Amino acid sequence: MKKILLLLLLAQLLACIGVTAQTRKVGGPCEGCEAIHECPVPFEELKAFVTMPDATWENRKPLAINGIVYEADGKTPAPGVVIYLYHTDQDGFYTPGPGAKGWEKRHGRIRSWVRTNEKGEYKFVTLRPAPYPDRSEPAHIHITVKAPGVSEYYLDDYVFDDDPLVTPKYRKKSVNRGGSGIISLKDVGNMYKGERNLYLGRNIPGY
């Protein structure tokens, strides 16, 4: 009987350790990172490609950004990583949609989720956001990631190399969480294209 009780206690301990490992906190403070869990579908159903709510070709040239997410070694592709994205509209505001709930009230309606495929690939299409009306920051796209085994955490924003607000001072102070977020865009005729690979744990506290 004592042996059975001991085995049960050991099983409970291992279960607790497993839960702790699955939710290991990394990245430091992150207001709004929990918005990643407002995904309208289970993470497992997400695709590696998403068209964000504002994307259109009507008198516009949308923006496509793709890349590969790598493990901490910088070489191994990381499948099953969830990426949450949001940005301002064409006037520089985070405008929520009708009846907005949760973090959409703060992040606005232009937000989406993708999940890397077996090759670690991801891609999204959107319109290039505008900077804040006071031009206090460059135009940017926020990104939060959730990899298996650790909590969600934010990476450096996507910003654009040709943005005059991406000054030498801005570049120097960038932490490069997950790698540099400064991307170059190429005009391919009907749209702009950019590429950014992401590196799990790079410059992330506690990873």
mmCIF file of all heavy atoms in Angstrom, residues 40-82:
data_model
loop_
_atom_site.group_PDB
_atom_site.id
_atom_site.type_symbol
_atom_site.label_atom_id
_atom_site.label_comp_id
_atom_site.label_asym_id
_atom_site.label_seq_id
_atom_site.Cartn_x
_atom_site.Cartn_y
_atom_site.Cartn_z
ATOM 1 N N PRO A 40 -9.103 33.366 -32.601
ATOM 2 C CA PRO A 40 -10.480 32.893 -32.797
ATOM 3 C C PRO A 40 -10.608 31.401 -33.075
ATOM 4 O O PRO A 40 -11.719 30.864 -33.052
ATOM 5 C CB PRO A 40 -10.963 33.715 -33.999
ATOM 6 C CG PRO A 40 -9.714 34.082 -34.732
ATOM 7 C CD PRO A 40 -8.670 34.268 -33.674
ATOM 8 N N VAL A 41 -9.495 30.734 -33.351
ATOM 9 C CA VAL A 41 -9.522 29.282 -33.577
ATOM 10 C C VAL A 41 -8.431 28.646 -32.718
ATOM 11 O O VAL A 41 -7.491 29.322 -32.300
ATOM 12 C CB VAL A 41 -9.293 28.922 -35.066
ATOM 13 C CG1 VAL A 41 -10.354 29.548 -35.948
ATOM 14 C CG2 VAL A 41 -7.901 29.342 -35.523
ATOM 15 N N PRO A 42 -8.520 27.347 -32.436
ATOM 16 C CA PRO A 42 -7.428 26.685 -31.707
ATOM 17 C C PRO A 42 -6.107 26.850 -32.447
ATOM 18 O O PRO A 42 -6.072 26.853 -33.688
ATOM 19 C CB PRO A 42 -7.870 25.220 -31.669
ATOM 20 C CG PRO A 42 -9.362 25.272 -31.809
ATOM 21 C CD PRO A 42 -9.644 26.432 -32.717
ATOM 22 N N PHE A 43 -5.022 26.996 -31.698
ATOM 23 C CA PHE A 43 -3.713 27.186 -32.329
ATOM 24 C C PHE A 43 -3.420 26.120 -33.385
ATOM 25 O O PHE A 43 -2.835 26.397 -34.427
ATOM 26 C CB PHE A 43 -2.613 27.160 -31.267
ATOM 27 C CG PHE A 43 -2.523 28.398 -30.414
ATOM 28 C CD1 PHE A 43 -1.781 28.394 -29.238
ATOM 29 C CD2 PHE A 43 -3.155 29.579 -30.783
ATOM 30 C CE1 PHE A 43 -1.670 29.528 -28.449
ATOM 31 C CE2 PHE A 43 -3.063 30.732 -30.005
ATOM 32 C CZ PHE A 43 -2.319 30.692 -28.830
ATOM 33 N N GLU A 44 -3.819 24.887 -33.107
ATOM 34 C CA GLU A 44 -3.512 23.778 -34.011
ATOM 35 C C GLU A 44 -4.153 23.949 -35.389
ATOM 36 O O GLU A 44 -3.726 23.320 -36.364
ATOM 37 C CB GLU A 44 -3.960 22.450 -33.400
ATOM 38 C CG GLU A 44 -3.206 22.031 -32.146
ATOM 39 C CD GLU A 44 -3.615 22.822 -30.916
ATOM 40 O OE1 GLU A 44 -4.699 23.470 -30.959
ATOM 41 O OE2 GLU A 44 -2.870 22.808 -29.922
ATOM 42 N N GLU A 45 -5.187 24.786 -35.477
ATOM 43 C CA GLU A 45 -5.889 24.978 -36.744
ATOM 44 C C GLU A 45 -5.347 26.155 -37.550
ATOM 45 O O GLU A 45 -5.779 26.391 -38.684
ATOM 46 C CB GLU A 45 -7.383 25.180 -36.489
ATOM 47 C CG GLU A 45 -8.071 23.965 -35.882
ATOM 48 C CD GLU A 45 -9.549 24.188 -35.647
ATOM 49 O OE1 GLU A 45 -10.103 25.185 -36.181
ATOM 50 O OE2 GLU A 45 -10.168 23.367 -34.939
ATOM 51 N N LEU A 46 -4.412 26.894 -36.993
ATOM 52 C CA LEU A 46 -3.850 28.033 -37.708
ATOM 53 C C LEU A 46 -2.996 27.582 -38.882
ATOM 54 O O LEU A 46 -2.355 26.529 -38.837
ATOM 55 C CB LEU A 46 -2.985 28.881 -36.762
ATOM 56 C CG LEU A 46 -3.724 29.687 -35.696
ATOM 57 C CD1 LEU A 46 -2.725 30.281 -34.705
ATOM 58 C CD2 LEU A 46 -4.550 30.799 -36.330
ATOM 59 N N LYS A 47 -2.967 28.411 -39.916
ATOM 60 C CA LYS A 47 -2.134 28.155 -41.087
ATOM 61 C C LYS A 47 -0.853 28.979 -41.009
ATOM 62 O O LYS A 47 -0.717 29.885 -40.181
ATOM 63 C CB LYS A 47 -2.904 28.502 -42.367
ATOM 64 C CG LYS A 47 -4.243 27.806 -42.494
ATOM 65 C CD LYS A 47 -4.096 26.297 -42.535
ATOM 66 C CE LYS A 47 -5.461 25.622 -42.726
ATOM 67 N NZ LYS A 47 -5.341 24.136 -42.690
ATOM 68 N N ALA A 48 0.071 28.684 -41.900
ATOM 69 C CA ALA A 48 1.345 29.406 -41.939
ATOM 70 C C ALA A 48 1.241 30.693 -42.745
ATOM 71 O O ALA A 48 2.191 31.478 -42.799
ATOM 72 C CB ALA A 48 2.441 28.517 -42.525
ATOM 73 N N PHE A 49 0.088 30.930 -43.374
ATOM 74 C CA PHE A 49 -0.124 32.137 -44.174
ATOM 75 C C PHE A 49 -1.436 32.780 -43.780
ATOM 76 O O PHE A 49 -2.438 32.087 -43.574
ATOM 77 C CB PHE A 49 -0.148 31.793 -45.667
ATOM 78 C CG PHE A 49 -0.631 32.923 -46.535
ATOM 79 C CD1 PHE A 49 0.191 34.005 -46.793
ATOM 80 C CD2 PHE A 49 -1.911 32.916 -47.072
ATOM 81 C CE1 PHE A 49 -0.257 35.060 -47.581
ATOM 82 C CE2 PHE A 49 -2.360 33.954 -47.861
ATOM 83 C CZ PHE A 49 -1.527 35.034 -48.121
ATOM 84 N N VAL A 50 -1.426 34.102 -43.662
ATOM 85 C CA VAL A 50 -2.656 34.816 -43.327
ATOM 86 C C VAL A 50 -2.704 36.137 -44.095
ATOM 87 O O VAL A 50 -1.676 36.781 -44.314
ATOM 88 C CB VAL A 50 -2.770 35.078 -41.811
ATOM 89 C CG1 VAL A 50 -1.734 36.085 -41.337
ATOM 90 C CG2 VAL A 50 -4.170 35.548 -41.428
ATOM 91 N N THR A 51 -3.909 36.497 -44.516
ATOM 92 C CA THR A 51 -4.170 37.818 -45.081
ATOM 93 C C THR A 51 -4.827 38.642 -43.994
ATOM 94 O O THR A 51 -5.916 38.298 -43.520
ATOM 95 C CB THR A 51 -5.100 37.717 -46.306
ATOM 96 O OG1 THR A 51 -4.478 36.901 -47.307
ATOM 97 C CG2 THR A 51 -5.370 39.088 -46.894
ATOM 98 N N MET A 52 -4.192 39.712 -43.580
ATOM 99 C CA MET A 52 -4.706 40.513 -42.478
ATOM 100 C C MET A 52 -5.922 41.330 -42.905
ATOM 101 O O MET A 52 -6.150 41.533 -44.111
ATOM 102 C CB MET A 52 -3.593 41.397 -41.909
ATOM 103 C CG MET A 52 -2.464 40.572 -41.292
ATOM 104 S SD MET A 52 -1.193 41.543 -40.438
ATOM 105 C CE MET A 52 -2.084 42.087 -38.965
ATOM 106 N N PRO A 53 -6.737 41.794 -41.952
ATOM 107 C CA PRO A 53 -8.031 42.402 -42.275
ATOM 108 C C PRO A 53 -7.990 43.610 -43.207
ATOM 109 O O PRO A 53 -8.984 43.904 -43.873
ATOM 110 C CB PRO A 53 -8.581 42.805 -40.894
ATOM 111 C CG PRO A 53 -7.963 41.838 -39.953
ATOM 112 C CD PRO A 53 -6.579 41.613 -40.487
ATOM 113 N N ASP A 54 -6.882 44.332 -43.262
ATOM 114 C CA ASP A 54 -6.842 45.542 -44.087
ATOM 115 C C ASP A 54 -6.288 45.305 -45.480
ATOM 116 O O ASP A 54 -6.299 46.213 -46.317
ATOM 117 C CB ASP A 54 -6.000 46.615 -43.399
ATOM 118 C CG ASP A 54 -4.525 46.225 -43.294
ATOM 119 O OD1 ASP A 54 -4.236 45.014 -43.188
ATOM 120 O OD2 ASP A 54 -3.668 47.119 -43.315
ATOM 121 N N ALA A 55 -5.817 44.107 -45.770
ATOM 122 C CA ALA A 55 -5.138 43.849 -47.049
ATOM 123 C C ALA A 55 -6.085 44.044 -48.224
ATOM 124 O O ALA A 55 -7.196 43.514 -48.237
ATOM 125 C CB ALA A 55 -4.565 42.441 -47.064
ATOM 126 N N THR A 56 -5.652 44.810 -49.215
ATOM 127 C CA THR A 56 -6.446 45.050 -50.407
ATOM 128 C C THR A 56 -5.533 45.458 -51.557
ATOM 129 O O THR A 56 -4.455 45.998 -51.330
ATOM 130 C CB THR A 56 -7.497 46.152 -50.167
ATOM 131 O OG1 THR A 56 -8.228 46.388 -51.382
ATOM 132 C CG2 THR A 56 -6.837 47.453 -49.737
ATOM 133 N N TRP A 57 -5.979 45.176 -52.763
ATOM 134 C CA TRP A 57 -5.269 45.604 -53.963
ATOM 135 C C TRP A 57 -5.988 46.768 -54.643
ATOM 136 O O TRP A 57 -5.552 47.233 -55.675
ATOM 137 C CB TRP A 57 -5.120 44.442 -54.938
ATOM 138 C CG TRP A 57 -3.923 43.564 -54.700
ATOM 139 C CD1 TRP A 57 -2.726 43.616 -55.360
ATOM 140 C CD2 TRP A 57 -3.800 42.519 -53.739
ATOM 141 N NE1 TRP A 57 -1.872 42.665 -54.876
ATOM 142 C CE2 TRP A 57 -2.498 41.962 -53.874
ATOM 143 C CE3 TRP A 57 -4.647 41.977 -52.780
ATOM 144 C CZ2 TRP A 57 -2.041 40.906 -53.093
ATOM 145 C CZ3 TRP A 57 -4.198 40.931 -51.996
ATOM 146 C CH2 TRP A 57 -2.919 40.406 -52.150
ATOM 147 N N GLU A 58 -7.076 47.237 -54.080
ATOM 148 C CA GLU A 58 -7.862 48.307 -54.682
ATOM 149 C C GLU A 58 -7.159 49.651 -54.474
ATOM 150 O O GLU A 58 -7.170 50.212 -53.385
ATOM 151 C CB GLU A 58 -9.264 48.348 -54.074
ATOM 152 C CG GLU A 58 -10.099 47.124 -54.416
ATOM 153 C CD GLU A 58 -11.520 47.245 -53.900
ATOM 154 O OE1 GLU A 58 -11.899 48.365 -53.486
ATOM 155 O OE2 GLU A 58 -12.242 46.238 -53.907
ATOM 156 N N ASN A 59 -6.536 50.126 -55.536
ATOM 157 C CA ASN A 59 -5.785 51.386 -55.508
ATOM 158 C C ASN A 59 -4.679 51.391 -54.454
ATOM 159 O O ASN A 59 -4.256 52.452 -53.990
ATOM 160 C CB ASN A 59 -6.736 52.569 -55.254
ATOM 161 C CG ASN A 59 -7.807 52.683 -56.303
ATOM 162 O OD1 ASN A 59 -7.531 52.586 -57.503
ATOM 163 N ND2 ASN A 59 -9.057 52.873 -55.867
ATOM 164 N N ARG A 60 -4.227 50.211 -54.080
ATOM 165 C CA ARG A 60 -3.164 50.088 -53.076
ATOM 166 C C ARG A 60 -2.170 49.015 -53.512
ATOM 167 O O ARG A 60 -2.483 48.152 -54.332
ATOM 168 C CB ARG A 60 -3.741 49.686 -51.713
ATOM 169 C CG ARG A 60 -4.772 50.622 -51.143
ATOM 170 C CD ARG A 60 -4.172 51.948 -50.725
ATOM 171 N NE ARG A 60 -5.178 52.808 -50.124
ATOM 172 C CZ ARG A 60 -5.279 53.064 -48.828
ATOM 173 N NH1 ARG A 60 -4.429 52.498 -47.987
ATOM 174 N NH2 ARG A 60 -6.211 53.870 -48.364
ATOM 175 N N LYS A 61 -1.006 49.086 -52.928
ATOM 176 C CA LYS A 61 -0.034 48.010 -53.062
ATOM 177 C C LYS A 61 0.157 47.394 -51.690
ATOM 178 O O LYS A 61 0.745 48.028 -50.803
ATOM 179 C CB LYS A 61 1.312 48.531 -53.591
ATOM 180 C CG LYS A 61 1.367 48.757 -55.084
ATOM 181 C CD LYS A 61 2.795 49.063 -55.496
ATOM 182 C CE LYS A 61 2.902 49.240 -57.008
ATOM 183 N NZ LYS A 61 4.308 49.437 -57.431
ATOM 184 N N PRO A 62 -0.357 46.207 -51.482
ATOM 185 C CA PRO A 62 -0.181 45.596 -50.165
ATOM 186 C C PRO A 62 1.263 45.172 -49.933
ATOM 187 O O PRO A 62 2.123 45.257 -50.822
ATOM 188 C CB PRO A 62 -1.123 44.393 -50.207
ATOM 189 C CG PRO A 62 -1.250 44.074 -51.646
ATOM 190 C CD PRO A 62 -1.140 45.374 -52.387
ATOM 191 N N LEU A 63 1.480 44.719 -48.730
ATOM 192 C CA LEU A 63 2.804 44.345 -48.275
ATOM 193 C C LEU A 63 2.779 42.877 -47.855
ATOM 194 O O LEU A 63 1.905 42.458 -47.100
ATOM 195 C CB LEU A 63 3.190 45.225 -47.081
ATOM 196 C CG LEU A 63 4.347 44.807 -46.195
ATOM 197 C CD1 LEU A 63 5.655 44.894 -46.973
ATOM 198 C CD2 LEU A 63 4.401 45.696 -44.960
ATOM 199 N N ALA A 64 3.711 42.091 -48.360
ATOM 200 C CA ALA A 64 3.837 40.682 -47.970
ATOM 201 C C ALA A 64 5.174 40.485 -47.262
ATOM 202 O O ALA A 64 6.215 40.897 -47.775
ATOM 203 C CB ALA A 64 3.748 39.770 -49.183
ATOM 204 N N ILE A 65 5.118 39.878 -46.090
ATOM 205 C CA ILE A 65 6.338 39.583 -45.335
ATOM 206 C C ILE A 65 6.367 38.097 -45.031
ATOM 207 O O ILE A 65 5.367 37.529 -44.588
ATOM 208 C CB ILE A 65 6.395 40.385 -44.026
ATOM 209 C CG1 ILE A 65 6.470 41.883 -44.340
ATOM 210 C CG2 ILE A 65 7.610 39.964 -43.194
ATOM 211 C CD1 ILE A 65 6.467 42.766 -43.113
ATOM 212 N N ASN A 66 7.489 37.480 -45.313
ATOM 213 C CA ASN A 66 7.636 36.050 -45.041
ATOM 214 C C ASN A 66 8.988 35.793 -44.391
ATOM 215 O O ASN A 66 9.866 36.656 -44.366
ATOM 216 C CB ASN A 66 7.507 35.235 -46.323
ATOM 217 C CG ASN A 66 8.674 35.460 -47.258
ATOM 218 O OD1 ASN A 66 8.722 36.457 -47.987
ATOM 219 N ND2 ASN A 66 9.636 34.551 -47.241
ATOM 220 N N GLY A 67 9.132 34.598 -43.845
ATOM 221 C CA GLY A 67 10.391 34.235 -43.229
ATOM 222 C C GLY A 67 10.335 32.847 -42.630
ATOM 223 O O GLY A 67 9.352 32.125 -42.780
ATOM 224 N N ILE A 68 11.402 32.494 -41.953
ATOM 225 C CA ILE A 68 11.513 31.202 -41.270
ATOM 226 C C ILE A 68 11.813 31.463 -39.803
ATOM 227 O O ILE A 68 12.623 32.340 -39.470
ATOM 228 C CB ILE A 68 12.631 30.337 -41.892
ATOM 229 C CG1 ILE A 68 12.310 30.022 -43.357
ATOM 230 C CG2 ILE A 68 12.823 29.035 -41.101
ATOM 231 C CD1 ILE A 68 13.424 29.298 -44.090
ATOM 232 N N VAL A 69 11.142 30.728 -38.940
ATOM 233 C CA VAL A 69 11.423 30.804 -37.513
ATOM 234 C C VAL A 69 12.390 29.677 -37.167
ATOM 235 O O VAL A 69 12.150 28.516 -37.510
ATOM 236 C CB VAL A 69 10.138 30.668 -36.671
ATOM 237 C CG1 VAL A 69 10.466 30.735 -35.186
ATOM 238 C CG2 VAL A 69 9.144 31.764 -37.043
ATOM 239 N N TYR A 70 13.490 30.042 -36.504
ATOM 240 C CA TYR A 70 14.510 29.068 -36.132
ATOM 241 C C TYR A 70 14.545 28.856 -34.621
ATOM 242 O O TYR A 70 14.209 29.748 -33.839
ATOM 243 C CB TYR A 70 15.885 29.537 -36.597
ATOM 244 C CG TYR A 70 16.070 29.514 -38.094
ATOM 245 C CD1 TYR A 70 15.955 30.679 -38.844
ATOM 246 C CD2 TYR A 70 16.365 28.324 -38.755
ATOM 247 C CE1 TYR A 70 16.125 30.663 -40.229
ATOM 248 C CE2 TYR A 70 16.525 28.293 -40.140
ATOM 249 C CZ TYR A 70 16.412 29.457 -40.869
ATOM 250 O OH TYR A 70 16.571 29.429 -42.224
ATOM 251 N N GLU A 71 14.972 27.678 -34.235
ATOM 252 C CA GLU A 71 15.197 27.373 -32.823
ATOM 253 C C GLU A 71 16.362 28.218 -32.298
ATOM 254 O O GLU A 71 17.011 28.941 -33.050
ATOM 255 C CB GLU A 71 15.492 25.883 -32.642
ATOM 256 C CG GLU A 71 14.377 24.952 -33.087
ATOM 257 C CD GLU A 71 13.221 24.900 -32.101
ATOM 258 O OE1 GLU A 71 13.263 25.625 -31.088
ATOM 259 O OE2 GLU A 71 12.277 24.139 -32.353
ATOM 260 N N ALA A 72 16.641 28.085 -31.003
ATOM 261 C CA ALA A 72 17.676 28.904 -30.373
ATOM 262 C C ALA A 72 19.056 28.706 -30.998
ATOM 263 O O ALA A 72 19.909 29.597 -30.916
ATOM 264 C CB ALA A 72 17.732 28.612 -28.874
ATOM 265 N N ASP A 73 19.283 27.554 -31.641
ATOM 266 C CA ASP A 73 20.591 27.331 -32.265
ATOM 267 C C ASP A 73 20.782 28.141 -33.542
ATOM 268 O O ASP A 73 21.881 28.185 -34.103
ATOM 269 C CB ASP A 73 20.810 25.839 -32.539
ATOM 270 C CG ASP A 73 19.789 25.245 -33.521
ATOM 271 O OD1 ASP A 73 19.010 26.010 -34.131
ATOM 272 O OD2 ASP A 73 19.774 24.004 -33.669
ATOM 273 N N GLY A 74 19.723 28.782 -34.007
ATOM 274 C CA GLY A 74 19.811 29.614 -35.191
ATOM 275 C C GLY A 74 19.859 28.854 -36.495
ATOM 276 O O GLY A 74 20.014 29.461 -37.560
ATOM 277 N N LYS A 75 19.711 27.536 -36.451
ATOM 278 C CA LYS A 75 19.821 26.709 -37.653
ATOM 279 C C LYS A 75 18.616 25.798 -37.872
ATOM 280 O O LYS A 75 18.245 25.530 -39.008
ATOM 281 C CB LYS A 75 21.085 25.845 -37.573
ATOM 282 C CG LYS A 75 22.376 26.628 -37.471
ATOM 283 C CD LYS A 75 23.567 25.689 -37.325
ATOM 284 C CE LYS A 75 24.863 26.460 -37.189
ATOM 285 N NZ LYS A 75 26.038 25.555 -37.027
ATOM 286 N N THR A 76 18.027 25.315 -36.788
ATOM 287 C CA THR A 76 16.948 24.335 -36.894
ATOM 288 C C THR A 76 15.601 25.031 -37.040
ATOM 289 O O THR A 76 15.216 25.822 -36.172
ATOM 290 C CB THR A 76 16.905 23.445 -35.635
ATOM 291 O OG1 THR A 76 18.194 22.877 -35.416
ATOM 292 C CG2 THR A 76 15.865 22.345 -35.796
ATOM 293 N N PRO A 77 14.858 24.769 -38.132
ATOM 294 C CA PRO A 77 13.528 25.372 -38.290
ATOM 295 C C PRO A 77 12.601 24.958 -37.142
ATOM 296 O O PRO A 77 12.668 23.829 -36.652
ATOM 297 C CB PRO A 77 13.042 24.801 -39.626
ATOM 298 C CG PRO A 77 14.297 24.456 -40.365
ATOM 299 C CD PRO A 77 15.253 23.974 -39.307
ATOM 300 N N ALA A 78 11.768 25.880 -36.709
ATOM 301 C CA ALA A 78 10.885 25.655 -35.563
ATOM 302 C C ALA A 78 9.432 25.570 -36.015
ATOM 303 O O ALA A 78 8.809 26.596 -36.308
ATOM 304 C CB ALA A 78 11.053 26.767 -34.542
ATOM 305 N N PRO A 79 8.866 24.368 -36.085
ATOM 306 C CA PRO A 79 7.452 24.229 -36.447
ATOM 307 C C PRO A 79 6.550 24.504 -35.255
ATOM 308 O O PRO A 79 6.981 24.460 -34.102
ATOM 309 C CB PRO A 79 7.358 22.765 -36.871
ATOM 310 C CG PRO A 79 8.403 22.075 -36.043
ATOM 311 C CD PRO A 79 9.527 23.075 -35.907
ATOM 312 N N GLY A 80 5.287 24.810 -35.543
ATOM 313 C CA GLY A 80 4.290 24.955 -34.487
ATOM 314 C C GLY A 80 4.434 26.183 -33.612
ATOM 315 O O GLY A 80 3.901 26.223 -32.510
ATOM 316 N N VAL A 81 5.128 27.205 -34.101
ATOM 317 C CA VAL A 81 5.268 28.450 -33.347
ATOM 318 C C VAL A 81 4.136 29.397 -33.758
ATOM 319 O O VAL A 81 3.939 29.666 -34.943
ATOM 320 C CB VAL A 81 6.626 29.120 -33.601
ATOM 321 C CG1 VAL A 81 6.715 30.465 -32.890
ATOM 322 C CG2 VAL A 81 7.756 28.200 -33.159
ATOM 323 N N VAL A 82 3.390 29.888 -32.778
ATOM 324 C CA VAL A 82 2.283 30.799 -33.049
ATOM 325 C C VAL A 82 2.798 32.237 -33.023
ATOM 326 O O VAL A 82 3.549 32.630 -32.128
ATOM 327 C CB VAL A 82 1.155 30.618 -32.017
ATOM 328 C CG1 VAL A 82 0.023 31.622 -32.259
ATOM 329 C CG2 VAL A 82 0.617 29.194 -32.077
#
